[in-house]
Amino acid sequence: MCIKRHSIQCIIPPYMMEKLMEKAENKPTAFKTKVQAYATDDKFRSKRQLFSKLSHGAKRVLLHESLKKATKKAAVNRAVYTAKNKETQPGTLVRKEGQAPVKDKDVNRAYDAAGYTWDFYYSLFGRNSIDSKGMKIIQTVHYGVKYDNAFWDGEQMIYGDGDGKIFSSFTTDIDIIGHELTHGVVQYECNLAYKDQSGALNESLADVFGTMIKQKTLNQTVKQADWLIGENCLLGKKYALRSLKAPGTAYVNHPDLGTDPQPATMSGYVNDPSDNGGVHTNSGIPNHAFYVAASAIGGYSWEKTGRIWYAALTDTKLVKANAGFADFKNATITHARKLFPGDSSVSKAVSDAWVTVGV
Amino acid sequence: MKLTLIQSGGFVGKTKIAEEDLSKQPQALQQHVQTIFSKGPAKAEPSAGDLNRDKETYSLEFNGTNLPLNTIRMNDDLQKLIAKMKGNLKYKKS
């Protein structure tokens, strides 16, 4: 069963890999290599628990090198509050920037993931926080009682604990936290209207950047990535909430949720009046376009495809608030040509991806 | 006389519903609901000022008419019934 896989991944059992990672925490380069090996280990991938398995020390090392390079002018500023299971926000401050981890795992997960997200946007695009002006990243955990949702309210992120039966805490997946923070980024850029195709694009951008934030944190190539959203939050080894690789398959015959309704192409586009025109359903189409483009371009998704998608989302001339899928398609093709003028295969891959999904 | 509470949106993007047999409720409450729905449908459009993303929204359905919950002026009894129904919401399978 170990054919075509790196020998280290086959021989070293997961518990030993964890030990090796702990020892390597003081050597960032070696540590990142081990994280990648750990991330591609089938045993963990099948459990879909990689991110939650990383220790605080491990997470700190992943962030340390990049965050310490940030200038005083551009530095992450996080604050995590608890709603103490009431529907209040922001609630009581538990951990602010620079403070040591606390006992509350949800607080630490939200704090760490916001750090990865800030680092992602700053190191790749020079974006200083949600508004690109150093906005404090405010998050509230333990919102409501058994609340099975996470949302962005225009100023901050809010996370529920889940019911413990269908959902675990909404802080358990870095892609969910990256998703919600990206809603903030979109708000300060093209500010896509939250209905119909522009709303589905808004949702898709949150998923696309959420999954890229996870991939960059785990140093995964497009081939190594699982392209799933919410694989820890939705309980059960077989389930995730969304799949960019194969929309409609994230969960199948789930006892409570049924089957993932997302379409991968325009032939499955739905007009669902109950969800602002199906924004969480139709987002599967641009999600899949990103996956197809990134897979064709290869390497790390954030290096080329991510840059193209970011350039499009920040281009308010080409992507207006009421933009549809075709507008975003044109913007991504335009920016693929601008960013990679010497390599027409990149813009062709982007164009082909949109054709694949029927846009 | 079925009254249905519908929760849609949310990060998960799955609809939840809760149903209540209105005929088992007091006559005054039945009348209150019928009065609300006799005015016809109202459509809630997300306003440009509403920056909530992934926040769930609620609507109430009665006799084939669907009204956004935030457009309904409810008396205390209906508010109590809605609070009870929110506690009974179940995912609608797809």
Side-chain angles (χ1 to χ4, degrees):
Chain A
M1 296 302 288
C2 294
I3 296 166
K4 292 182 182 175
R5 292 178 57 213
H6 193 285
S7 57
I8 260 185
Q9 296 162 30
C10 297
I11 297 165
I12 301 178
Y15 69 92
M16 282 184 70
M17 189 71 86
E18 287 178 349
K19 288 287 177 194
L20 282 170
M21 285 172 65
E22 284 172 16
K23 286 182 179 176
E25 280 176 14
N26 294 326
K27 298 172 184 171
T29 306
F31 176 71
K32 283 193 174 182
T33 304
K34 291 200 187 301
V35 167
Q36 188 171 359
Y38 188 87
T40 52
D41 187 280
D42 279 351
K43 287 184 180 176
F44 282 99
R45 198 150 49 166
S46 65
K47 288 180 181 175
R48 295 173 178 172
Q49 290 175 339
L50 176 65
F51 181 69
S52 59
K53 284 276 180 188
L54 294 176
S55 69
H56 286 300
K59 290 170 180 171
R60 227 175 17 250
V61 170
L62 279 177
L63 265 183
H64 181 69
E65 285 303 299
S66 47
L67 288 189
K68 78 177 183 184
K69 288 176 189 166
T71 64
K72 281 184 181 176
K73 200 174 179 183
V76 63
N77 186 4
R78 294 162 285 186
V80 185
Y81 296 77
T82 177
K84 297 180 179 175
N85 296 116
K86 292 178 182 172
E87 294 192 4
T88 57
Q89 58 196 78
T92 305
L93 181 63
V94 182
R95 188 178 174 192
K96 63 181 180 180
E97 191 59 44
Q99 288 186 331
V102 294
K103 285 183 180 175
D104 190 324
K105 288 180 180 176
D106 288 286
V107 169
N108 295 330
R109 283 194 292 252
Y111 181 92
D112 291 339
Y116 299 130
T117 303
W118 185 93
D119 176 60
F120 175 88
Y121 279 109
Y122 185 72
S123 64
L124 296 176
F125 312 121
R127 184 179 192 87
N128 183 8
S129 193
I130 294 165
D131 62 351
S132 204
K133 293 177 182 173
M135 179 178 177
K136 183 188 271 191
I137 300 173
I138 300 170
Q139 302 179 97
T140 297
V141 300
H142 303 307
Y143 182 84
V145 178
K146 297 184 177 179
Y147 183 63
D148 52 3
N149 196 17
F151 65 95
W152 162 257
D153 78 345
E155 295 179 356
Q156 69 157 103
M157 280 70 61
I158 292 104
Y159 309 97
D161 293 335
D163 61 0
K165 292 177 182 172
I166 304 173
F167 297 103
S168 65
S169 168
F170 279 70
T171 64
T172 53
D173 287 298
I174 186 173
D175 39 68
I176 294 180
I177 294 171
H179 173 112
E180 297 307 334
L181 274 154
T182 300
H183 274 310
V185 172
V186 171
Q187 178 183 311
Y188 281 93
E189 296 295 341
C190 51
N191 197 19
L192 290 159
Y194 205 55
K195 61 176 217 173
D196 302 329
Q197 286 201 8
S198 57
L201 271 177
N202 197 326
E203 275 304 314
S204 172
L205 288 169
D207 276 350
V208 160
F209 283 86
T211 206
M212 273 197 287
I213 289 160
K214 178 170 74 173
Q215 289 174 17
K216 185 168 186 296
T217 304
L218 299 174
N219 199 34
Q220 292 177 324
T221 65
V222 293
K223 284 186 179 173
Q224 292 167 330
D226 62 14
W227 295 94
L228 297 170
I229 300 286
E231 65 269 29
N232 295 304
C233 178
L234 181 56
L235 294 168
K237 289 179 184 176
K238 296 186 292 182
Y239 307 124
L241 285 169
R242 287 187 279 277
S243 168
L244 282 77
K245 183 176 182 177
T249 67
Y251 55 92
V252 177
N253 293 326
H254 186 282
D256 296 290
L257 303 181
T259 297
D260 174 9
Q262 279 208 318
T265 69
M266 286 301 286
S267 63
Y269 188 89
V270 298
N271 187 6
D272 176 5
S274 66
D275 185 20
N276 294 318
V279 296
H280 290 90
T281 306
N282 294 320
S283 56
I285 298 164
N287 273 1
H288 193 54
F290 180 80
Y291 164 79
V292 173
S295 296
I297 291 166
Y300 293 105
S301 63
W302 60 88
E303 287 182 335
K304 289 183 179 175
T305 327
R307 282 179 68 194
I308 295 164
W309 253 245
Y310 183 77
L313 104 80
T314 53
D315 186 338
T316 52
K317 285 183 182 169
L318 291 179
V319 181
K320 298 186 188 306
N322 63 350
F325 292 172
D327 299 314
F328 200 78
K329 169 188 174 177
N330 291 334
T332 53
I333 295 169
T334 299
H335 284 287
R337 288 175 181 148
K338 279 186 184 175
L339 288 166
F340 306 101
D343 186 354
S344 61
S345 69
V346 175
S347 58
K348 184 177 184 307
V350 171
S351 178
D352 288 350
W354 286 107
V355 172
T356 298
V357 301
V359 175
Chain B
M1 292 282 277
K2 191 169 70 178
L3 185 68
T4 306
L5 178 68
I6 302 165
Q7 179 193 299
S8 60
F11 181 84
V12 177
K14 294 287 287 188
T15 299
K16 278 179 164 182
I17 58 170
E19 294 176 340
E20 194 70 32
D21 186 352
L22 202 58
S23 65
K24 292 179 180 173
Q25 298 296 324
Q27 193 71 34
L29 179 54
Q30 292 179 32
Q31 188 60 47
H32 180 55
V33 170
Q34 283 174 343
T35 302
I36 289 168
F37 280 85
S38 66
K39 292 171 186 169
K43 196 177 178 186
E45 290 285 337
S47 69
D50 182 4
L51 298 172
N52 281 304
R53 301 290 180 257
D54 295 321
K55 185 97 167 79
E56 64 284 337
T57 57
Y58 295 91
S59 64
L60 208 52
E61 197 168 276
F62 181 68
N63 276 347
T65 301
N66 186 293
L67 297 177
L69 201 61
N70 60 7
T71 65
I72 299 173
R73 293 187 71 177
M74 294 183 278
N75 65 18
D76 287 349
D77 287 343
L78 184 56
Q79 282 184 24
K80 283 177 190 167
L81 181 63
I82 296 300
K84 178 190 160 194
M85 292 174 81
K86 280 187 177 178
N88 293 332
L89 283 163
K90 303 280 184 217
Y91 282 101
K92 186 179 168 185
K93 284 188 190 177
S94 54

